Amino acid sequence: MSDFIHSKFVQEMCDITANMYRQGWDERNGGNISYMIDEEFVREYFPEDKFIRDIPAGFVAHECLRGKYFLVTGTGKYFKNVKGDPETNLGLVKISEDGETAHLLWGYKDGGRFTSEFPAHLMSHAVRYQINPKNRIIMHTHPTYTICMGACLPTDEKIFTRKLWKSNTEAVVVFPEGVGVLPCMICGTTEIGEATAEKMKQHRIVTWTNHGIYGAGETIDEAFGLIETVEKTAQIYMLTLGHVVNEIPDEVVIGLAKLWNLKMMEGVIGE
Ligand code: 13P
Ligand code: ZN
């Protein structure tokens, strides 16, 4: 049995948090990630469940997540520091059978706990997992241009999606279901968790106006790829705002979706 700290799961979390920090998205303790790990992989490192301590969830996790294991960034922890000390900045928890407690198996070495956004993470996991049982990742971060774009547009997901699709030909291909948009809300609450999860029924990406973005995926690469495509496109939009001569024509957006056999979010193009 090798040490969990050397597992691919911890390594992936170290690599992605360092990468996201370098993008300039995760200032101070900004951002959080949760990674659902299948029991068979947990058992490779922990032959049986031995809990260090229990942490109250503060909400009731959905039935489909009870007994599941999550590797989660800690609250107040800095992405830039994860790689240097994963055992303090990350924790592996198992959701209790009543959904009200997280049993700690590893990590949060300084007595810490999971991200304050755990409600939004677990509620989003529950929705995405039921749509796609292969979904494993929920990722939250503060990408600069996406936040700028949200501040410049009405909080309307069709308008937001349309602006993205018409700024970068990759956009409709990467997120044909469009981007969910939430207005500015108080973060770290069950309410914003429920609102995010509701949007996750239609979208793998949800923006939080004046705050940041959530992405879901089967892998870290997929969740990150969604977010970086939105952010890159938002950067193009913001840098060209007020100067655009060549906007992507509607026929090209529709043609790309047809070429890749994608079902586009309705009511965005051609109405
Ligand atoms: P945590 O430090 O609790 O993860 O919060 C960071 C954040 O991004 C809040 O939305
Ligand atoms: Zn945040």
Side-chain angles (χ1 to χ4, degrees):
M1 185 183 73
S2 68
D3 205 330
F4 186 62
I5 202 164
H6 302 303
S7 67
K8 82 171 182 93
F9 306 103
V10 171
Q11 290 308 310
E12 279 183 86
M13 288 288 259
C14 288
D15 290 345
I16 196 67
T17 47
N19 179 1
M20 291 167 78
Y21 175 70
R22 280 196 302 273
Q23 306 286 336
W25 301 347
D26 297 285
E27 75 293 342
R28 200 174 182 276
N29 62 311
N32 25 76
I33 305 173
S34 54
Y35 191 156
M36 192 198 294
I37 303 179
D38 294 358
E39 182 164 3
E40 59 175 302
F41 299 122
V42 172
R43 288 288 162 257
E44 289 178 17
Y45 303 94
F46 304 93
E48 60 188 58
D49 286 338
K50 269 196 197 153
F51 304 131
I52 301 167
R53 57 192 158 92
D54 282 352
I55 309 172
F59 62 100
V60 183
H62 191 274
E63 283 161 29
C64 72
L65 302 182
R66 299 184 192 172
K68 300 261 187 241
Y69 298 84
F70 291 89
L71 183 60
V72 191
T73 53
T75 186
K77 302 299 189 231
Y78 294 22
F79 271 22
K80 75 181 180 66
N81 296 341
V82 175
K83 204 166 193 144
D85 186 1
E87 205 169 343
T88 299
N89 294 289
L90 305 174
L92 177 68
V93 296
K94 180 180 188 180
I95 305 303
S96 65
E97 287 308 325
D98 63 6
E100 292 182 32
T101 304
H103 305 300
L104 182 66
L105 281 102
W106 176 91
Y108 304 146
K109 210 172 60 178
D110 61 351
R113 51 183 282 134
F114 42 73
T115 173
S116 58
E117 305 293 4
F118 207 37
H121 279 255
L122 281 205
M123 291 175 195
S124 298
H125 269 292
V127 166
R128 293 309 312 177
Y129 183 68
Q130 288 174 93
I131 294 169
N132 173 13
K134 287 187 181 161
N135 196 84
R136 291 291 176 275
I137 308 292
I138 298 292
M139 185 179 279
H140 166 61
T141 182
H142 301 166
T144 312
Y145 287 97
T146 304
I147 298 169
C148 294
M149 192 169 161
C152 293
L153 290 173
T155 52
D156 178 316
E157 51 213 14
K158 286 187 178 156
I159 294 174
F160 197 90
T161 299
R162 181 180 166 83
K163 299 290 187 197
L164 291 171
W165 284 358
K166 287 178 73 75
S167 299
N168 173 5
T169 52
E170 294 306 299
V172 70
V173 179
V174 174
F175 44 90
E177 81 272 40
V179 175
V181 175
L182 286 187
C184 188
M185 292 176 73
I186 298 169
C187 57
T189 60
T190 306
E191 288 71 28
I192 201 167
E194 285 164 352
T196 308
E198 190 56 36
K199 295 289 181 196
M200 284 274 177
K201 289 179 181 168
Q202 307 293 333
H203 311 276
R204 291 167 298 156
I205 320 166
V206 179
T207 65
W208 285 6
T209 301
N210 307 124
H211 183 139
I213 193 164
Y214 269 74
E218 295 180 9
T219 60
I220 290 218
D221 267 358
E222 188 189 351
F224 177 79
L226 282 167
I227 292 173
E228 77 174 332
T229 308
V230 171
E231 172 63 359
K232 171 71 182 276
T233 309
Q235 183 175 9
I236 294 167
Y237 179 79
M238 292 309 301
L239 292 176
T240 56
L241 193 59
H243 304 283
V244 177
V245 176
N246 298 311
E247 197 180 48
I248 300 172
D250 285 3
E251 314 83 78
V252 171
V253 178
I254 293 165
L256 283 161
K258 276 201 179 131
L259 179 69
W260 292 97
N261 214 7
L262 302 168
K263 189 175 170 350
M264 291 165 71
M265 180 181 180
E266 285 173 15
V268 175
I269 297 287
E271 287 180 25

